[in-house]
């Protein structure tokens, strides 16, 4: 009898709620107001095409909706505004802006994996769903790395270009040999992209191989033990990045030395060769991580 009474009371309450909702809709002209806290920012995605593009689309939406685009684009915009406001006369302000811009670009390289985490370090929490996608493990790792690396490279390139413009109008820029500054700006984008790809590949690789040692998602575990783990992982990633840079640095140095008579051409060629060799190392590392990604199980990411 108590069960029947409860069911009757629930049914009566549901009817009253339905009537109240119908009256509310009628008073508003039959239109339901949309929720104000729903984000309308989106990016169109074609229903056909390469499946891997969907992951890039998802990562781009994360950048847009979390405001990380501002963290990438605002510093170059501030530096450019400062250059127009204080550095157009070519004084010491232009040199300071150039130095700060290059410093920020270097900090982007070191802090990039800590700022942008919309890759496997976040998606491993949804590993059971991620493995159902019609993608090879190599493609999953590749697009996850390239998505974050490309986004960080955009901010770095903008900072380098602003720094180059500030250096060009400064008194120090007049002392730079002809063509060297332009060659450095032309060689910077591919080299920065390769550096970021290597850096993000290492961080994603640690997450795939040792998921228990890496902070997955946005949750940050506390305590001395987790802090020690983060320090050890950070030191390991720095060592791995330095080892990956040995061969590209040697090849780039050799190219610059061989073509030293045409310094501008030597800088561009050295940057391209170094970037290509580093990209080859990154691709080989991604192939190795694809096997580790196939072996990792969802229970390991809990």
């Amino acid at each position: 009898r108590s069960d029947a009474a409860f069911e009757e009371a629930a049914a009566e309450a549901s009817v009253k709620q339905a009537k109240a909702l119908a009256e509310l809709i009628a008073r508003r002209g039959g239109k339901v107001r949309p929720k104000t806290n729903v984000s309308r920012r989106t990016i169109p995605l074609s229903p056909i095409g390469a499946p891997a593009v969907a992951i890039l689309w998802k990562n781009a939406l994360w950048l847009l909706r979390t405001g990380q685009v501002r963290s990438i684009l605002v510093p170059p915009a501030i530096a450019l505004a400062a250059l127009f406001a204080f550095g157009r006369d070519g004084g010491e302000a232009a040199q300071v802006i150039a130095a700060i811009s290059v410093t920020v670009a270097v900090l982007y390289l070191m802090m990039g994996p800590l700022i942008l985490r919309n890759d496997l370090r976040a998606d491993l929490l949804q590993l059971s769903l991620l493995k159902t996608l019609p993608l090879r493990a190599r493609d999953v790792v590749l697009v996850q790395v390239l998505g974050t690396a490309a986004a960080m490279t955009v901010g770095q390139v903008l900072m380098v270009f602003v720094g180059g413009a500030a250096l060009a109008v400064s008194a120090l820029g007049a002392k730079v040999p002809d063509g060297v500054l332009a060659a450095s700006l032309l060689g910077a984008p591919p080299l920065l992209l390769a550096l970021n790809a290597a850096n993000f590949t290492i961080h994603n690789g640690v997450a795939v191989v040792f998921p228990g040692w890496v902070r997955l998602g946005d949750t940050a575990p506390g305590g001395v033990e987790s802090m020690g783990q983060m320090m050890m992982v950070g030191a390991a990633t720095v060592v791995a990045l330095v080892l990956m840079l040995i061969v590209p640095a040697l090849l780039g140095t050799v190219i610059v030395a061989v073509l030293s008579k045409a310094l501008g051409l030597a800088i561009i060629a050295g940057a391209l060769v170094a970037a290509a060799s580093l990209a080859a190392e990154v691709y080989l590392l991604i192939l190795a991580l694809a096997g580790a990604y196939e072996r990792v199980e969802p229970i390991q990411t809990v």
Side-chain angles (χ1 to χ4, degrees):
R1 286 197 298 269
S2 62
D3 291 342
F6 175 77
E7 292 175 358
E8 292 175 359
E12 184 179 357
S14 299
V15 172
K16 290 181 179 180
Q17 186 176 6
K19 290 182 179 179
L21 180 60
E23 293 175 358
L24 181 61
I25 294 176
R27 288 197 300 267
R28 293 178 180 174
K31 296 181 179 180
V32 179
R33 294 180 182 177
K35 295 181 180 180
T36 57
N37 59 347
V38 176
S39 176
R40 293 180 177 272
R41 292 175 293 179
T42 186
I43 301 173
L45 178 65
S46 174
I48 58 176
V53 177
I55 296 182
L56 295 177
W57 172 79
K58 182 267 300 179
N59 291 343
L61 277 183
W62 182 89
L63 290 174
L64 184 64
R65 293 181 175 179
T66 58
Q68 293 298 329
V69 173
R70 293 192 296 270
S71 65
I72 296 175
L73 299 181
V74 167
I78 294 176
L80 185 60
L83 177 60
F84 276 102
F86 308 108
R88 288 185 297 176
D89 57 352
E92 294 183 357
Q95 299 180 22
V96 173
I97 294 172
I100 293 176
S101 300
V102 175
T103 302
V104 172
V106 175
L107 289 177
Y108 270 164
L109 177 63
M110 302 305 299
M111 305 298 295
L114 302 180
I115 299 174
L116 301 183
R117 300 181 58 88
N118 57 324
D119 45 31
L120 286 174
R121 290 169 294 167
D123 289 349
L124 282 179
L125 293 176
Q126 308 294 332
L127 185 60
S128 57
L129 176 62
L130 193 62
K131 285 198 172 186
T132 62
L133 300 179
L135 292 170
R136 291 178 294 182
R138 178 196 64 187
D139 296 336
V140 172
V141 179
L142 181 62
V143 296
Q144 292 279 18
V145 169
L146 289 183
T148 49
M152 185 54 62
T153 303
V154 170
Q156 288 177 309
V157 170
L158 292 177
M159 291 302 303
V160 169
F161 281 1
V162 173
L167 183 61
V169 300
S170 67
L172 185 61
K175 300 179 182 180
V176 179
D178 295 338
V180 172
L181 181 58
S184 300
L185 294 178
L186 290 176
L191 186 58
L192 289 174
L193 179 59
L195 286 171
N196 283 305
N199 200 11
F200 279 97
T201 301
I202 293 172
H203 281 268
N204 280 267
V206 175
V208 172
V209 179
F210 305 105
W213 283 70
V214 177
R215 176 170 66 92
L216 300 179
D218 297 328
T219 58
V224 179
E225 294 181 358
S226 62
M227 185 180 301
Q229 286 183 350
M230 293 175 60
M231 293 176 62
M232 293 178 63
V233 171
T237 54
V238 171
V239 172
L241 182 60
V242 171
L243 293 176
M244 290 186 67
L245 292 178
I246 292 177
V247 174
L250 289 176
L251 292 177
T253 303
V254 171
I255 295 297
V256 172
V258 171
L259 302 176
S260 58
K261 293 183 179 180
L263 191 55
L265 178 61
I267 293 175
I268 296 177
L272 292 177
V273 170
S277 59
L278 185 57
E281 293 181 1
V282 169
Y283 186 71
L284 292 177
L285 182 57
I286 288 176
L287 293 180
L289 291 177
Y293 171 80
E294 289 284 3
R295 292 188 296 269
V296 68
E297 297 294 337
I299 190 63
Q300 297 176 257
T301 62
V302 177

